[in-house]
Amino acid sequence: MNGQNNMESKEWLAFFEISQALSSTLVIDDLLELILQSAKKLIRADRGSIMLFDKKEKKLRVTASFGMEDKNEIIKGFQTEGGIAAKVIAHKKPFLLKGDMNDMPLLKNVNRREEIKSALSVPLTAKGEIVGVFNLTRLTIETSFDERELSLLTMLAGPAAIAISNAHLYQRIQNMALYAKNERDKLQAILENISNGILIYGKNRIILLFNPMAAKILHIDKNTLNTIIIDGLFRQRKDLEPVCNLLSRFDKSDDRLTEQELSINIQGEIVYLKMTCIRVYSQDNKGDWITILILED
């Protein structure tokens, strides 16, 4: 009984660390490392890796790992053909490898390395799209992975995939935002196609850019957003005071990132929002910055 309770405590700790990772950094490499180390604490393994999938080029690349001696393997891209990762991508399902793979119809033609005693390989899926593959391998540990450990890794893969997807989105927005003032029209065209609500304003709190999704989520007439100040926009609307209060607290803080989830009544409609504020400093970092508000309905 005590062993079971200890295992449960260990699992909860790992899930807590994953949740902390989601809010502690938007740097993709740091985020992947945190997720991978949390998995290592939860499930014993000799090797582990997170492989990111490039949908356009149909390639996987090992981006974070432990126990891999060949460093070239860590950065090497390869086609998703013929391997277990390819099966994970193709079928969008996890695999538990132990015993003879010929007993598994989907893996009959896959070559298995002799040193591998057991392995787990699960898809990283966010919003229905594969973003990568999560792998754990046992080489010296005699006990094979079991269904329970497969379930645990699959559970971890959910928030990991969302974190990866969000980090990529934030990175993309941050890169675009650095050029917002000089390439406003170009950036606006890009923002039109982003599914999250995006609103960008400067240090003087004048709104620089927004996209149609932000206007839709907040029920704002986009024609009223031309060179309007943040305070003027939100304080005209009693129902949007929680959003205004979050931005005010963020602007007065030294934080570069903050997140908040809340349910608010917007013009008679209950809306559950996840709001993320990101402060991006100018390249010379001389006190000038812009704030990016990301809204997820």
Side-chain angles (χ1 to χ4, degrees):
M1 185 69 177
N2 289 336
Q4 182 179 358
N5 289 335
N6 288 337
M7 177 59 73
E8 290 176 355
S9 298
K10 188 177 180 181
E11 292 165 10
W12 279 114
L13 177 60
F15 282 112
F16 174 76
E17 290 177 346
I18 287 290
S19 67
Q20 291 294 100
L22 297 183
S23 59
S24 66
T25 180
L26 293 174
V27 179
I28 187 67
D29 289 343
D30 294 345
L31 182 63
L32 294 179
E33 188 65 28
L34 284 168
I35 294 169
L36 197 59
Q37 292 304 317
S38 295
K40 184 180 179 182
K41 290 179 182 178
L42 179 63
I43 304 172
R44 289 194 308 147
D46 295 304
R47 286 183 181 176
S49 66
I50 294 178
M51 310 162 75
L52 297 186
F53 180 53
D54 186 322
K55 186 177 179 180
K56 184 177 180 180
E57 296 188 10
K58 303 293 183 185
K59 287 185 178 181
L60 281 163
R61 184 171 66 88
V62 178
T63 309
S65 68
F66 66 85
M68 297 175 65
E69 296 179 0
D70 183 359
K71 297 302 179 183
N72 291 325
E73 186 177 0
I74 295 178
I75 61 174
K76 182 176 65 177
F78 54 93
Q79 297 291 337
T80 57
E81 297 175 356
I84 294 172
K87 298 295 184 181
V88 172
I89 296 290
H91 297 280
K92 294 185 177 181
K93 63 174 291 185
F95 286 95
L96 167 58
L97 311 177
K98 61 180 180 179
D100 190 351
M101 289 201 305
N102 289 324
D103 295 333
M104 304 176 68
L106 292 177
L107 299 178
K108 276 188 176 181
N109 298 321
V110 175
N111 293 325
R112 174 175 172 177
R113 296 181 182 179
E114 292 183 1
E115 71 271 20
I116 295 177
K117 291 185 171 59
S118 181
L120 299 174
S121 191
V122 305
L124 294 164
T125 307
K127 298 181 180 179
E129 294 289 331
I130 293 282
V131 298
V133 179
F134 204 159
N135 307 292
L136 291 179
T137 305
R138 286 179 176 170
L139 308 176
T140 61
I141 300 171
E142 294 298 331
T143 305
S144 295
F145 290 116
D146 56 28
E147 293 289 344
R148 184 167 182 273
E149 289 167 317
L150 178 64
S151 296
L152 288 173
L153 188 62
T154 302
M155 290 173 65
L156 288 178
I162 293 171
I164 292 166
S165 180
N166 287 341
H168 281 154
L169 172 63
Y170 299 156
Q171 187 176 55
R172 179 184 173 193
I173 293 170
Q174 184 178 32
N175 291 338
M176 291 188 297
L178 291 172
Y179 303 97
K181 292 182 179 178
N182 297 325
E183 299 188 34
R184 177 170 177 166
D185 291 340
K186 181 179 179 181
L187 181 58
Q188 182 70 59
I190 295 172
L191 292 178
E192 298 276 333
N193 298 313
I194 292 180
S195 60
N196 296 81
I198 307 294
L199 192 149
I200 302 174
Y201 61 94
K203 181 181 177 181
N204 54 10
R205 296 178 69 79
I206 292 177
I207 295 173
L208 303 172
L209 291 167
F210 72 102
N211 69 347
M213 185 56 68
K216 180 179 179 181
I217 291 173
L218 299 175
H219 293 216
I220 294 173
D221 181 355
K222 65 179 181 180
N223 295 323
T224 68
L225 281 174
N226 293 326
T227 64
I228 195 169
I229 295 177
I230 282 288
D231 302 275
L233 170 67
F234 289 109
R235 295 204 184 280
Q236 293 173 11
R237 297 268 304 276
K238 189 75 174 176
D239 55 348
L240 295 182
E241 271 192 0
V243 182
C244 184
N245 292 338
L246 172 66
L247 296 178
S248 295
R249 289 195 302 271
F250 181 68
D251 287 348
K252 292 175 183 177
S253 74
D254 294 324
D255 297 334
R256 294 198 177 203
L257 165 71
T258 189
E259 291 181 323
Q260 183 174 334
E261 297 181 1
L262 75 164
S263 178
I264 59 177
N265 188 323
I266 301 180
Q267 294 187 345
E269 180 183 351
I270 302 299
V271 178
Y272 182 78
L273 286 181
K274 177 180 179 181
M275 300 187 294
T276 303
C277 298
I278 304 172
R279 181 175 290 118
V280 181
Y281 288 88
S282 61
Q283 288 180 313
D284 57 12
N285 202 22
K286 291 183 178 180
D288 194 17
W289 69 79
I290 60 173
T291 297
I292 304 169
L293 171 64
I294 302 174
L295 301 164
E296 187 171 353
D297 188 355

